[in-house]
Amino acid sequence: QIKGIRIRIHPTFIGLLILCALAGLLTRALLVFGLVILHELVHVLAARSFGVKVRSIELYPYGGTAVLEDSFEGRKMEESIIAFAGPAFNFSLFLFFQYLRWEGIIQGTWTLELVKINFWLACFNMIPVLPLDGGRIARAFFAGTFGFVKTTKFLAGAGKVLGGIFIMIGFFLQAYEFVMLEPPVFIVLGVFFWLGSSKEMQNARIVFLKQLCRKKERLLHQGLMQSVC
């Protein structure tokens, strides 16, 4: 735990770290682990700036998820800023370390890894599908028009499709021995998308029920609905 926030590591994230270590990419594995934690802590800071408490941080191969105590349906600005904070942080690090490399201030293989991983985390997370940050931003802007649950189902379904594509690419690369492109990483990411998208669909139903309860409480408070004993 970090200041009362529980850190949960998803099995797919551990799988990715193991794959990197077995492939002799221990430096990359450690960099990914550290940058993903920083990515999520930025989400936490953004959430706390809006007075939102964070229950836990779940780490995944693409980044992670900050589990908040409340949902953000109908609050597009807050959800967008919190979701965008992580990729923006990684892109800022990408520009910073790339500038230092161009100026010759830092050199070495590890600096190139820092640049590549930050760029990958920033761009990959902005793909507009759930459970990525880009999907959360898209949901924030379209939920008001199409409904929170419907928008979540569509974006989560798109995430499953992307996951299936990643799995097929991974097996294709493995079959034709394109080992330099690291086929197992594609397969792990594809499995994650399937699991993460399913979880987003389940959470959407829970959020919908909470939304109905809050609307009922407001109507009761305003005297526009009679309570049934």
Side-chain angles (χ1 to χ4, degrees), residues 13-219:
F13 185 85
I14 297 175
L16 181 61
L17 292 178
I18 292 174
L19 286 173
C20 289
L22 291 176
L25 303 171
L26 183 58
T27 300
R28 178 187 291 184
L30 294 176
L31 286 175
V32 169
F33 185 78
L35 289 171
V36 166
I37 291 179
L38 290 176
H39 175 105
E40 286 311 305
L41 288 177
V42 171
H43 282 307
V44 170
L45 291 175
R48 285 185 169 178
S49 70
F50 291 107
V52 179
K53 293 183 179 180
V54 181
R55 291 185 305 194
S56 63
I57 293 175
E58 298 178 357
L59 301 180
Y60 298 97
Y62 74 97
T65 299
V67 181
L68 310 179
E69 286 195 351
D70 197 8
S71 59
F72 282 85
E73 70 278 8
R75 298 166 60 184
K76 52 175 73 172
M77 184 58 69
E78 289 94 332
E79 182 172 13
S80 298
I81 291 175
I82 292 173
F84 184 66
F89 170 75
N90 289 120
F91 192 70
S92 297
L93 285 182
F94 158 72
L95 292 176
F96 175 70
F97 286 113
Q98 185 61 28
Y99 173 77
L100 294 180
R101 290 182 72 248
W102 282 336
E103 295 297 319
I105 299 174
I106 57 174
Q107 297 292 334
T109 305
W110 68 273
T111 60
L112 179 59
E113 287 298 320
L114 272 174
V115 170
K116 289 167 57 178
I117 294 172
N118 276 297
F119 180 79
W120 180 80
L121 285 174
C123 294
F124 190 74
N125 267 281
M126 289 303 294
I127 298 175
V129 299
L130 287 171
L132 299 178
D133 294 325
R136 300 184 190 283
I137 295 172
R139 180 174 62 187
F141 282 92
F142 290 107
T145 303
F146 301 103
F148 184 84
V149 176
K150 191 180 223 181
T151 304
T152 299
K153 285 183 177 180
F154 176 80
L155 293 171
K160 278 195 171 184
V161 171
L162 183 61
I165 293 173
F166 267 72
I167 292 173
M168 288 189 292
I169 291 175
F171 281 115
F172 175 83
L173 294 175
Q174 186 66 44
Y176 288 91
E177 299 183 352
F178 291 110
V179 293
M180 292 297 294
L181 296 177
E182 301 171 13
V185 174
F186 283 89
I187 297 173
V188 170
L189 286 173
V191 171
F192 154 73
F193 270 110
W194 273 90
L195 297 174
S197 298
S198 299
K199 186 175 180 180
E200 288 290 341
M201 289 182 178
Q202 294 173 358
N203 290 340
R205 298 185 185 97
I206 296 173
V207 169
F208 178 69
L209 292 175
K210 287 182 178 179
Q211 187 179 25
L212 288 179
C213 291
R214 281 196 291 268
K215 286 182 178 179
K216 181 180 178 180
E217 289 175 359
R218 285 198 296 267
L219 291 174

